Amino acid sequence: KKLSSAGFVLVELNENNHLKYKNSIKDTLSCLTTVGELPDSVFSNVVNQWVENKHIYNPILVVEKCSGKVIAIGTILVELKLIHNGGLVGHIEDIAVNDSHQGKGLGKVLLEYLKNLGVMKGCYKIILDCDEKNVEFYKKCGFSRCGVEMEYRP
Ligand code: ACO
């Protein structure tokens, strides 16, 4: 409600709207990392696979109503496990707020939405990896430091 009165709306990315939002999604994601060329064929293929696996992928956009541009993006992947009696773990991934709109509370609203979605879907915990510089942001979103992130890049 607060988001709407500030001129923004939360939108699920899907097979019908993705091409309309492509440029502003690329622009916003470039605040996070390298996006690459991402031709329409690749972009549509990814979105279509996400849509076919809706129970796992939940890509959410924050759209500015006046411009129709995507200002923030993020997702929660819901992983079905054997442990915890066939439990579900939510993985928050690829959060980005466009440089032009950072520091206005939009990231926090997006995180609250994704957290609630994970809880609604039955996740017994919700986790994410982030840079040290974002720790305070995630603490303000209700997360606490836990474990160590490691990676292997072939
Ligand atoms: N350090 C300390 N505090 C911070 C930081 C920070 N880097 N960023 C935000 N905060 C605080 C704000 O001051 C605010 O505090 P308040 O509630 O007391 O007023 C609170 O956190 C919420 O801030 P928002 O305005 O909602 O943050 P914003 O919309 O700018 O989003 C984000 C934060 C997502 C980190 C944004 O800056 C961004 O997109 N950065 C570039 C991409 C990136 O690093 N994404 C995260 C990758 S990790 C992952 O995807 C799991």
Side-chain angles (χ1 to χ4, degrees), residues 65-111:
K65 287 194 263 187
C66 65
S67 66
K69 285 186 176 169
V70 173
I71 294 307
I73 186 167
T75 190
I76 179 166
L77 274 98
V78 178
E79 179 199 8
L80 176 60
K81 300 182 88 78
L82 280 176
I83 57 173
H84 288 268
N85 206 22
L88 297 170
V89 171
H91 300 263
I92 301 249
E93 286 285 341
D94 297 348
I95 302 295
V97 176
N98 200 290
D99 287 340
S100 59
H101 287 72
Q102 287 177 8
K104 297 180 177 176
L106 294 174
K108 199 170 171 183
V109 170
L110 179 60
L111 259 292

Side-chain angles (χ1 to χ4, degrees), residues 137-150:
F137 166 69
Y138 286 114
K139 279 187 178 169
K140 290 199 164 167
C141 295
F143 288 78
S144 48
R145 204 184 269 272
C146 176
V148 176
E149 179 191 347
M150 298 185 69

Side-chain angles (χ1 to χ4, degrees), residues 16-153:
N16 301 317
N17 65 17
H18 70 287
L19 288 174
K20 172 173 78 173
Y21 292 132
K22 183 184 169 190
N23 287 341
S24 54
I25 286 175
K26 280 182 73 174
D27 190 42
T28 295
L29 279 176
S30 69
C31 304
L32 171 66
T33 189
T34 311
V35 184
E37 194 57 39
L38 203 63
D40 284 358
S41 57
V42 175
F43 185 54
S44 295
N45 181 41
V46 171
V47 172
N48 287 334
Q49 290 200 45
W50 285 352
V51 170
E52 280 167 22
N53 295 285
K54 263 185 186 306
H55 57 298
I56 302 175
Y57 295 97
N58 302 278
I60 303 295
L61 313 171
V62 177
V63 175
E64 186 182 40
K65 287 194 263 187
C66 65
S67 66
K69 285 186 176 169
V70 173
I71 294 307
I73 186 167
T75 190
I76 179 166
L77 274 98
V78 178
E79 179 199 8
L80 176 60
K81 300 182 88 78
L82 280 176
I83 57 173
H84 288 268
N85 206 22
L88 297 170
V89 171
H91 300 263
I92 301 249
E93 286 285 341
D94 297 348
I95 302 295
V97 176
N98 200 290
D99 287 340
S100 59
H101 287 72
Q102 287 177 8
K104 297 180 177 176
L106 294 174
K108 199 170 171 183
V109 170
L110 179 60
L111 259 292
E112 284 304 320
Y113 183 85
L114 293 171
K115 264 171 45 186
N116 287 337
L117 198 57
V119 170
M120 260 171 41
K121 285 174 177 276
C123 294
Y124 70 87
K125 70 174 178 182
I126 297 170
I127 56 178
L128 59 86
D129 292 327
C130 73
D131 282 351
E132 192 63 42
K133 67 178 191 310
N134 289 328
V135 166
E136 287 309 309
F137 166 69
Y138 286 114
K139 279 187 178 169
K140 290 199 164 167
C141 295
F143 288 78
S144 48
R145 204 184 269 272
C146 176
V148 176
E149 179 191 347
M150 298 185 69
E151 72 167 13
Y152 168 75
R153 293 195 187 213

